[in-house]
Amino acid sequence: MSKPLKLVLILSIAINAIWLIGAAAGWFSIGTAKASGNVGQSGNGGGGDSTLAPETAKGMVALLSTSDAAALRDQLRALGLPSDVVREIVSARIRSGYETRRRAIRESAQQAAAQQPYWRSKISHSYIGLTAEQLSEMTSLYREERSQITQIMGSDGEVPSQAQIIFSFLPPDKAQQFSDMEGDYHAMRQQILQEMSGFRMSGDNAKLKLLDDEYMRDVAAFLTPDEKMENSLRNSFAARQLQYAFSDFNGTEDEYKTIFALQNGMNEKYLINSIYGNPDDSGLSKSEREAAQKEVDARIKATLGDERYADYLRAQRGDYKSLQAAARRFNLSADTVAQTYQMRDNAATEAARISDDTSLSTEQKNAAYTALTEQTTGQIRATLGDDIGDAYINNALAWLKNLPKGGNVKINPAGNVKVTQPKQ
């Protein structure tokens, strides 16, 4: 349900409650409409009067439009409204005041954007097009709003915030404080990026590194060692990498933690886990970092074993994730997924064999590639159905479609297939 619709319903409940209580108190009467159809004429006599008296209507308008949130709370409670309805109405009134100020910021940003020629991209370091100062002000407004609602209504019945969900391993108040701290560092980073204007000088890296170091010190001071580990397991760069793999890999929590320890250790050593730093600040070349990653991969393989490691690698391939997405959308069985991907594996292995066969001429290889493509395409379409099969091939198996054009086929250690087309 949208927030505007929800608010309308809440206000409707409140007004109905006020109406009934007011009728019981004698503010107005509820009767049967006259036959003449003159409904709602106010008066002191009988006759089916059902309209609020003018002074009562003014009182209701004043009640629901007051900016005194504490007074509104007390009056709604005095009317006997449920606590959740009182919270929603009072929160809506508080938000409306802050939304006016936020709207002014957005309108200012919109006016600035409108002055830019539409045929030229506007340089911005904010995904919503605000300057660092505007983004900081918006953040402050949301914090003030949240603080005022809590001050007026307390925390009982409060819906968990996004911060409390993301940092659910922390007590609610600490989760919000930690989220605010992260937001402050994000705002400082936006300010530095805005000052760079897209042109980085040597000293800029030092600024970002200093900010990163300060952030890590604040995290260490704010969180206990156990909380810091829980946060890393959920929200670090290494965690996001691993969660991507585990989304289609039926791994256990113990396996996750073991692999995380290996990957996160390397990331921290070479600054790949850095939020604000640059991996190149480690002083190591790309090839050296790649060698370090190979060492970590070997240790992961030793931990999982050959079969589980193969499943782990497969879960990270784009074509396998695409197939899993199709399974979720169209309720495909696990057997169907397994059979289809085995067809993909068989085709990849055969294509690599053809590519490496020095006894075949270029024409013979191309003919073999064409036959393999037709055979595999037919098998996939027969298993998934024509429409889903074609979509899967078009979305995820471009190398299979390109085989008839010829070229060299290689399967890298992660199991991904690459076809290098011949130069025209």
Side-chain angles (χ1 to χ4, degrees):
M1 182 182 297
S2 65
K3 287 186 177 179
L5 179 56
K6 184 177 181 181
L7 180 56
V8 168
L9 292 177
I10 291 170
L11 291 175
S12 176
I13 293 171
I15 292 171
N16 286 337
I18 295 170
W19 185 287
L20 292 173
I21 295 171
W27 296 349
F28 50 88
S29 61
I30 301 177
T32 305
K34 295 181 180 179
S36 63
N38 295 328
V39 179
Q41 296 179 353
S42 67
N44 296 324
D49 209 326
S50 64
T51 302
L52 284 173
E55 62 274 13
T56 304
K58 290 180 181 179
M60 289 179 63
V61 171
L63 171 64
L64 296 175
S65 61
T66 180
S67 59
D68 188 340
L72 174 61
R73 174 202 61 197
D74 294 341
Q75 292 180 66
L76 292 175
R77 285 174 176 173
L79 290 173
L81 296 180
S83 59
D84 60 332
V85 175
V86 175
R87 171 177 282 278
E88 289 288 352
I89 294 173
V90 174
S91 298
R93 288 300 304 130
I94 292 173
R95 290 190 188 101
S96 66
Y98 286 95
E99 184 55 33
T100 299
R101 296 161 65 184
R102 287 192 290 263
R103 187 183 302 114
I105 295 173
R106 288 193 291 265
E107 287 177 352
S108 176
Q110 184 180 34
Q111 291 171 1
Q115 296 175 359
Q116 296 290 328
Y118 71 87
W119 58 91
R120 295 178 185 170
S121 65
K122 180 182 177 183
I123 297 176
S124 174
H125 298 289
S126 171
Y127 72 97
I128 53 177
L130 302 179
T131 65
E133 293 79 5
Q134 289 172 327
L135 188 61
S136 177
E137 186 176 358
M138 289 283 273
T139 300
S140 296
L141 288 174
Y142 277 113
R143 291 181 186 176
E144 290 176 18
E145 174 190 292
R146 186 182 68 240
S147 176
Q148 187 178 0
I149 291 174
T150 301
Q151 180 183 358
I152 299 298
M153 297 305 304
S155 57
D156 290 343
E158 190 175 44
V159 176
S161 66
Q162 184 178 11
Q164 291 167 350
I165 294 173
I166 294 174
F167 306 112
S168 58
F169 55 92
L170 295 173
D173 288 346
K174 191 169 186 177
Q176 193 63 62
Q177 293 168 12
F178 185 60
S179 177
D180 289 346
M181 185 187 80
E182 292 218 316
D184 290 339
Y185 274 98
H186 175 72
M188 287 187 280
R189 176 177 172 79
Q190 294 301 111
Q191 183 66 51
I192 294 174
L193 291 174
Q194 183 173 295
E195 292 172 358
M196 290 182 190
S197 297
F199 187 81
R200 181 173 293 200
M201 299 290 288
S202 58
D204 294 331
N205 285 343
K207 289 181 182 179
L208 292 172
K209 181 64 169 58
L210 177 62
L211 189 64
D212 188 28
D213 291 342
E214 286 292 328
Y215 169 78
M216 297 305 296
R217 278 193 289 270
D218 280 352
V219 169
F222 188 81
L223 301 179
T224 67
D226 287 345
E227 289 171 343
K228 185 174 182 293
M229 174 54 69
E230 291 298 326
N231 184 53
S232 294
L233 283 169
R234 291 163 172 79
N235 303 310
S236 64
F237 181 70
R240 290 193 294 273
Q241 285 180 304
L242 204 50
Q243 289 158 3
Y244 175 79
F246 270 62
S247 62
D248 290 308
F249 172 60
N250 188 26
T252 66
E253 182 178 5
D254 287 342
E255 288 175 328
Y256 177 89
K257 288 182 176 180
T258 299
I259 298 174
F260 173 84
L262 294 171
Q263 187 65 59
N264 193 54
M266 192 206 78
N267 285 8
E268 289 185 342
K269 182 177 180 180
Y270 301 121
L271 304 182
I272 298 172
N273 210 35
S274 171
I275 296 176
Y276 301 110
N278 188 325
D280 292 334
D281 292 341
S282 65
L284 297 179
S285 67
K286 180 180 177 182
S287 62
E288 287 173 319
R289 291 198 303 274
E290 288 176 347
Q293 183 63 58
K294 287 182 180 180
E295 181 180 344
V296 169
D297 290 340
R299 295 177 66 183
I300 294 174
K301 182 177 182 180
T303 299
L304 294 178
D306 291 349
E307 185 174 346
R308 291 288 287 162
Y309 183 69
D311 292 343
Y312 171 71
L313 289 181
R314 181 186 63 187
Q316 300 175 63
R317 296 177 201 146
D319 54 13
Y320 184 73
K321 286 189 171 293
S322 178
L323 185 57
Q324 288 287 1
R328 289 189 291 270
R329 178 172 181 178
F330 299 105
N331 197 29
L332 304 178
S333 69
D335 286 343
T336 298
V337 171
Q339 291 170 11
T340 303
Y341 205 72
Q342 187 60 54
M343 295 169 190
R344 174 269 190 205
D345 281 346
N346 294 342
T349 301
E350 178 62 12
R353 187 199 66 78
I354 295 170
S355 177
D356 293 339
D357 191 342
T358 57
S359 68
L360 298 177
S361 66
T362 299
E363 292 74 15
Q364 289 173 323
K365 287 184 179 181
N366 291 348
Y369 285 151
T370 299
L372 178 61
T373 297
E374 292 176 352
Q375 176 187 357
T376 306
T377 298
Q379 291 173 338
I380 292 175
R381 295 177 88 233
T383 304
L384 298 181
D386 292 349
D387 290 342
I388 301 175
D390 286 341
Y392 175 55
I393 293 169
N394 290 332
N395 292 339
L397 301 181
W399 63 266
L400 181 64
K401 292 179 62 178
N402 289 330
L403 272 182
K405 299 177 183 178
N408 295 321
V409 179
K410 296 296 180 183
I411 303 176
N412 69 14
N416 295 303
V417 184
K418 181 179 180 181
V419 179
T420 304
Q421 301 292 337
K423 294 182 180 180
Q424 300 296 329

